[in-house]
Amino acid sequence: MTRRTTEYVIDANNRDKGKRFLITEMDSWGGERWATRVIVAMSQAGVDIPQEVMNAPSFEALASFGINALFKIKREEFEELSDQLLDCVKIIFDEKGSTRDLLKSDIEESTSIFKLRMQVLSFHIESFFPGGSQPSA
């Protein structure tokens, strides 16, 4: 089965305005490993994690727990996990919709990087919220 995808367009009035990106969901193994790593890092940071989340780490568990706890983990771990989110992103570089891997030079604004990471995270967990609503960051 094909993994889900979505397009994200930067709409901020800055140097990245109008740039288009294709977000593809992680495969099931990668997603489970990413979610487990987040939950372990939060636990090590002293976040009180419900037992049901510890028993079945997943994007679904993160969605039910609340994503704000992600910001409590160690900076180094957070950066690695955040970079893994960007592995789900390709830039759309022409009108035909052609894509390629994302390069650091593709994004010129730090706020665009943050928004893109949050978009990837929201894309992965939005299906676990009633009505498909996205979590707040």
Side-chain angles (χ1 to χ4, degrees), residues 39 48-57 61 65:
I39 291 168
D48 186 26
I49 300 173
Q51 190 59 46
E52 60 270 14
V53 173
M54 294 298 287
N55 290 342
F65 178 63

Side-chain angles (χ1 to χ4, degrees), residues 102-114:
L102 191 63
L103 303 173
K104 287 185 177 183
S105 60
D106 289 328
I107 302 173
E108 300 178 73
E109 301 284 346
S110 58
T111 56
S112 298
I113 298 167
F114 179 79

Side-chain angles (χ1 to χ4, degrees), residues 63 121-136:
L121 184 60
S122 294
F123 176 67
H124 279 87
I125 63 176
E126 69 187 356
S127 61
F128 302 112
F129 287 86
S133 62
Q134 296 183 4
S136 60

Side-chain angles (χ1 to χ4, degrees), residues 79-97:
E79 288 172 355
E80 288 180 34
L81 289 162
S82 293
D83 287 346
Q84 286 179 338
L85 291 175
L86 291 180
D87 290 343
C88 298
V89 178
K90 292 187 180 289
I91 190 162
I92 302 171
F93 63 87
D94 65 17
E95 292 303 316
K96 294 185 286 187

